[in-house]
Structures are given as structure tokens and as C-alpha cells.
Amino acid sequence: LFRSQQVSLIAHGSLRMSLFDPALEAKAKEKTEFVQQVIRNVEKACENNDQQDREWLRSMIEPCNTCFATLVRLIFEPKYKGFLTLRCVALRAVQMLLRIARTLFEGTDPNLGWRTFVELAGEEQALQAAPEILMLAQRQDEPLVASNALTVLAELGPAVLQPESIPLLFDLLQALPDRASDLSEVALRVHAWGGESRRALCLATVQHPGGKLLVEVLIQMINRCDEKRQQRASKVLAGCFSLPEAKDLVYTNDARVLVEVLLRELPNNVGNPAAFQSYGRCLQALAKCSEVARAHRREEVLQVLEDLREDERLEPEVRNACAEVMAALGGA
């Protein structure tokens, strides 16, 4: 995917680059190769994940390391604004390092990414870069650059990615369906911020034509991803399905698939009340907005829920969740 981005950008940007001074072009090419090497090194360290690699990754996000600040500067420096390949790879490298920093210093503050960005890039550079990254995320003529910019904004948090900019996600889902996996991660992060950001995401999902694409990807997340992503995806879908406009949000076959996935996950998570409630709320909301979902394997779903509701060994939260889903299905 990274190589295909690079080829496309070179093809689109060759005419622009020919207008620049040859010395500046050579310098931009040299810096592009430097950033690409940084990306390869980070990917290799993440893949190996041994003690030495973890120490190296940590060193890359230390304030005393100027690499991050250099990458940020490449994004907004005026002389490089026409070199889209350089800016695209710089955005990618910045996003990767911010994500690593988040995994090392995870906290409850949704703007932790922005505070990390300011610390590593310097306040002056951070304030210069933020509006430039937002502008790049709006570049409909360069969706690959816009996609990388949006993933950076998602790392920075709601202080930078404001609710009014969230529909950009759905424009990009339509323009770059092959990047749906990366873009769906943006949706998970935005939903986790809560408040106006969550409301804007759910509303855009049911109103934007790209919303159905997001729903498809989130269903696949619940079906195939790790437990954390499964639960987060189910929460996003539950929030979207709960809106009055969600009646036509999910395709017929997708509704059936989701019912079957949730029918599998609910019994598998009776020992985890939080996960069970997440899946239960998702099924409950789906049943309310989709006639197809209410009818698909209805008797089997009701029987599973009734058996679990009557199992006195289970936590009250689990049994209550069963009753609520059964009511949504018309079986209580």
C-alpha cells in the first residue's frame, strides 16, 4: 500500500516538481528517501519488537531526539509545499510515531496526542503544522495525502480534529476504499473521544453516502479483529443504529452477517459483562432499525438469549442485557 501511494503521488506530482529549482528538487528527493528509511526502520522495529527495538522506538519519541521535529517541519515548510510525495511520507512517519507514543503513554485524556505533538515538535512548530495538516486533509484532489493527514489529526485528538471536519472521513472512504482499514481506525478513535465528536461521527455515518462503507468495515472488525477492536466497533455501530435516520444504513446481507457474528460473540462473552453488554446493545439497536435483522434466525437468537437470561450463574448485567435484546426482538 505504501509503495502504491508513492507511485501514484509521483505520477500526480511530476509536473509540479518540474517547475521547481533543480537544487530544491534534489534536496526534496533526498529528504523523501530519508523519511522513507525512517518509516522502514519503524516498521521493522515494530515487527521485531525485541528489547533493543523497543528501546530504539522509545528513543525516537524522546524530546531530545530532533527527528520528530524535522518530520513535522517537512509538512509545513513553504519551500516543500509542492512536493506532495515528501509531505505524504512525512505525514505517515509522524502518524506512526504518534501512535507508538500513544501505546507507551496511554491515558484517559483524548488530547494526549496533541500534548505529545507539542512536546516533541515544539510549541511554535506544532501551532504552525496543525492548520497545515487540516488543510491537507481537505485536499480532495490528492486523496492519498488527505488520508495520511486525517490519520495524523486522529492521533492529535479533538483539540485539532473538530466535529465539523469529521465528514472528511467519509469522503475519503469513498475515494480510497482500499484504505478503509486505516480510515476505520480513525472512526474508532473519534467515537472513543465521546461528546460532540461521537455525535458528529454517528450523524455523519447515517447521513453521508460513505456511511455504509464504514458499517461494512466495522462489521468485519467485529468478525475478525482482536477483542478490543471488536468491542469498540460494536459500540460505534450501536450508536449509529440508534439514530432515527439509520433505517437504511445497513445492507440486507450485512444485517444478516452481523446478526450471525453477534450470535456467536454473545455466548462467547458471558464471562465478560462489559463485552457482553457492548454486543447486546449493538444487536438491540440493529434489531430496532432493521426489519431484516429482526427476522434473521429470530427463533434461534431468542432461544440463546432466553437460555442465558435464565442462567442464574451469570452476572445480573448479562442477564439484564439478554432481556433488553429480547424485548427489541419482540420476544420478551
Side-chain angles (χ1 to χ4, degrees):
L1 178 58
F2 174 72
R3 291 191 185 95
S4 66
Q5 285 186 23
Q6 182 182 355
V7 171
S8 177
L9 283 164
I10 290 173
H12 284 80
S14 58
L15 291 176
R16 294 185 182 88
M17 292 178 67
S18 65
L19 302 176
F20 293 115
D21 176 75
L24 181 59
E25 288 189 30
K27 192 172 183 180
K29 181 180 180 182
E30 178 184 336
K31 291 186 177 297
T32 299
E33 292 172 352
F34 161 74
V35 178
Q36 290 170 333
Q37 187 60 53
V38 170
I39 292 173
R40 286 192 289 268
N41 291 342
V42 171
E43 289 176 335
K44 184 177 179 180
C46 290
E47 182 179 353
N48 293 338
N49 197 31
D50 59 24
Q51 182 63 32
Q52 183 177 355
D53 289 310
R54 289 193 293 272
E55 290 176 359
W56 180 80
L57 287 171
R58 184 179 289 272
S59 74
M60 289 291 290
I61 54 174
E62 291 289 342
C64 60
N65 191 326
T66 61
C67 181
F68 188 91
T70 298
L71 293 169
V72 171
R73 194 158 52 248
L74 294 174
I75 296 171
F76 71 85
E77 274 197 335
K79 65 181 179 181
Y80 293 126
K81 283 193 174 182
F83 295 91
L84 290 178
T85 302
L86 173 59
R87 301 177 84 190
C88 189
V89 295
L91 287 163
R92 174 61 175 159
V94 166
Q95 186 267 335
M96 293 173 71
L97 293 174
L98 283 173
R99 184 181 60 193
I100 290 168
R102 174 164 53 86
T103 60
L104 292 176
F105 310 116
E106 188 74 69
T108 58
D109 181 5
N111 288 308
L112 176 63
W114 171 247
R115 292 193 289 107
T116 302
F117 188 71
V118 171
E119 182 179 10
L120 297 179
E123 184 174 7
E124 182 178 351
Q125 283 201 160
L127 293 174
Q128 287 180 276
E132 190 69 23
I133 297 170
L134 180 57
M135 184 201 70
L136 289 172
Q138 298 167 341
R139 287 286 300 266
Q140 294 186 8
D141 60 325
E142 296 290 352
L144 294 174
V145 177
S147 176
N148 281 6
L150 187 64
T151 59
V152 173
L153 293 174
E155 295 293 342
L156 297 180
V160 183
L161 183 55
Q162 298 288 319
E164 59 268 22
S165 297
I166 289 172
L168 294 171
L169 167 65
F170 300 91
D171 295 333
L172 289 169
L173 276 168
Q174 289 186 294
L176 298 171
D178 58 329
R179 296 211 67 188
S181 179
D182 288 341
L183 292 169
S184 63
E185 292 289 338
V186 173
L188 296 187
R189 290 196 56 73
V190 169
H191 188 269
W193 297 340
E196 288 301 319
S197 296
R198 179 178 296 176
R199 284 188 284 273
L201 174 71
C202 292
L203 191 60
T205 302
V206 299
Q207 292 181 343
H208 195 288
K212 288 187 176 182
L213 296 175
L214 178 62
V215 169
E216 286 185 85
V217 178
L218 293 176
I219 291 173
Q220 292 306 312
M221 274 192 173
I222 300 175
N223 189 28
R224 299 175 181 173
C225 286
D226 58 89
E227 291 182 6
K228 183 177 180 180
R229 283 183 173 82
Q230 284 180 312
Q231 292 179 44
R232 292 174 70 183
S234 70
K235 291 177 181 179
V236 177
L237 288 178
C240 296
F241 293 153
S242 298
L243 295 177
E245 301 92 335
K247 182 178 179 181
D248 300 317
L249 179 59
V250 58
Y251 292 115
T252 297
N253 189 57
D254 288 340
R256 295 191 180 109
V257 169
L258 183 53
V259 169
E260 294 185 8
V261 171
L262 294 172
L263 181 59
R264 178 194 72 204
E265 293 300 327
L266 283 166
N268 289 344
N269 285 274
V270 291
N272 184 345
F276 190 94
Q277 288 176 310
S278 293
Y279 298 132
R281 292 188 187 106
C282 185
L283 181 54
Q284 182 180 355
L286 175 64
K288 288 181 178 179
C289 78
S290 170
E291 184 176 347
V292 171
R294 287 195 299 275
H296 185 60
R297 298 179 66 174
R298 182 174 180 274
E299 296 305 319
E300 183 180 352
V301 173
L302 287 172
Q303 186 61 59
V304 169
L305 292 171
E306 183 177 3
D307 290 345
L308 295 176
R309 184 185 63 175
E310 299 302 319
D311 190 340
E312 297 182 355
R313 298 170 299 176
L314 300 180
E315 296 290 338
E317 298 94 329
V318 171
R319 299 171 66 190
N320 291 338
C322 290
E324 292 171 359
V325 179
M326 291 176 70
L329 291 168

